[in-house]
Amino acid sequence: MSGEFDVIQRYFSQTKGQLSNNPYVKLGVADDCAIFQTTAGKQIATSKDLLIEGRHFFSDVDPYALGHKALAVNLSDLAAMGAKPIACLLGLALPSVDEKWLSAFSSGFYALADKYHCPLIGGDTTRSEHGITLSVTVFGEVQPPYLMRNQAQIGDIVWVSGVLGAAHTALELLFLEKQGVTLSAEQGILLEQTRAALEYPEPRLALGQSLVGIAHAALDISDGFLQDFGHIVKQSQVSAIIEEYRLPVHAALESLSWASKRTAVLTGGDVYELCFTAPAQRSAEVLALSQQLGIPLTAVGHIVAPQASQFEVDVIDADGKSVVFPRGGFDHFATE
Ligand code: ADP
Ligand code: MG
C-alpha cells in the first residue's frame, strides 16, 4: 500500500470509532466535508499553525513528538482564548510514504487529540517536492468574555504559567549538536532535562477555560515572553513593568549564568505557557487555581499607564534598574 487514500484510511481515520459519544461531530473523515455543531449560544474559536521541516522542526525529530507538537501548539491557541476544543483538521504534505514515520506521527497526534477530546475530523494529504509540511486547524467553543490580547487594564497583575527557559535551552543544545559539536556531559544532562519542554509542550486548556471571567487579557507564549507579552501591551495601549527576578525559571537552568538564563526566560520561544493579566483583587483566585490545577502561576509584574502614548514593557532587576536586551524574541521575517 502507498496511495493517498490508503494513507488516510490507515493512519488518519481512527477517529471514526470515537465519535459515537461526541456531542459536536456529526461527520468525520469520510466525505467532502466534515460536519460539526456547537452548543446554542456559543461561538467558534479557530486557529491554524503551519510547521515546515527544517524551519519549525528538525528532519530527524521523533515523529511521535512531532505529532504531539503539531496539535499541541494549536490547542495552546485555543487555551489562550479560554476555548474548549471541538475538533481539528490536518493538512499533510509528504515527499514519500514512510510507514514507520506515519505510524509514529499519527500515534502522537491521536494521543493528544484523545486526551483533550479534540477529534481529527478531516484534512488533506498530498505529495511534496521536498520535505514535510504540516498544518493543523483547530476549532473550539467560546462564550464572551473571551481572553483577548487587548483587554489589559492599568493596575492589573501580570501572570505567567509554568516555568520558562527550558525549550530555548534544549533548542540551543540541539543546534550545537547539528553543527557537529560534541556536547559535554553536563550539556548532555541539561539537554535530557529540557528536551521534553521543547518536544512535548502541554496546552494549558483547563487553565485558559478557568481564567475566563478572572483574567482581562491573555495569550500563549510561542515566540518568547517579552515579544509575546509586548502584543498584550501594544494592543491594550498600556505599559508594563516586569520584575525579571520574579520570572519562574526551569529548575534545570539553575547552573547557567544569569545572562543565559535571562535570554532563555525572556526571549526563548516554543514555550506554550499562558501569560495573562488580572485585576489585583483577583490574585487569591488565581493562586487558588494554581493549587487546584497543579500548575505554577507566578506574578511577574504589573500594568501601568503609558507615557506619551508609548506602549512599553520595562524589565527591571532587583535594584529597580531597567534591563536592556538586544532582541525581543523570534520573528520569521526579521532582517538582522
Ligand atoms: P477531497 O479530494 O474531496 O478533498 P480527499 O480525498 O482529499 O477529499 O479526502 C478524503 C477524506 O479524507 C476527507 O474526509 C478528508 O477530510 C480526509 N483526509 C484527507 N487527508 C487527511 C488527513 N491528513 N487527516 C485527516 N483526514 C484527512
Ligand atoms: Mg483533498
Side-chain angles (χ1 to χ4, degrees), residues 85-132:
I86 292 178
C88 61
L89 302 173
L90 170 65
L92 202 49
L94 303 167
S96 60
V97 173
D98 177 340
E99 305 277 347
K100 220 172 131 204
W101 190 95
L102 277 163
S103 171
F105 173 83
S106 68
S107 298
F109 193 100
Y110 274 110
L112 196 68
D114 287 351
K115 181 171 179 182
Y116 291 109
H117 309 291
C118 187
L120 177 63
I121 59 169
D124 202 15
T125 305
T126 182
R127 186 183 291 275
S128 73
E129 289 300 321
H130 315 276
I132 298 167

Side-chain angles (χ1 to χ4, degrees), residues 4-5 8 12 28-32 90-92 120-125:
E4 171 192 338
F5 302 107
I8 298 167
F12 300 108
V29 173
D31 218 303
D32 295 308
L90 170 65
L92 202 49
L120 177 63
I121 59 169
D124 202 15
T125 305

Side-chain angles (χ1 to χ4, degrees), residues 58 69 163-175 190-191 193-201 221-222 250 253 264-265 268-272:
F58 293 116
K69 190 161 175 177
V163 290
L164 306 178
H168 175 87
T169 304
L171 194 58
E172 298 256 289
L173 292 168
L174 287 172
F175 269 128
L190 188 56
L191 177 56
Q193 292 170 332
T194 53
R195 194 170 188 148
L198 178 68
E199 295 185 338
Y200 291 96
I221 305 171
S222 50
H250 191 283
L253 277 61
V265 167
D270 266 318
V271 180
Y272 305 105

Side-chain angles (χ1 to χ4, degrees), residues 34-35 91-92 128 130 137 180 184 199 225 234 244 276 285 304:
I35 296 177
L92 202 49
S128 73
H130 315 276
T137 303
S184 68
E199 295 185 338
F225 171 79
K234 291 216 162 53
E244 69 163 356
F276 58 95
E285 284 164 85
V304 296

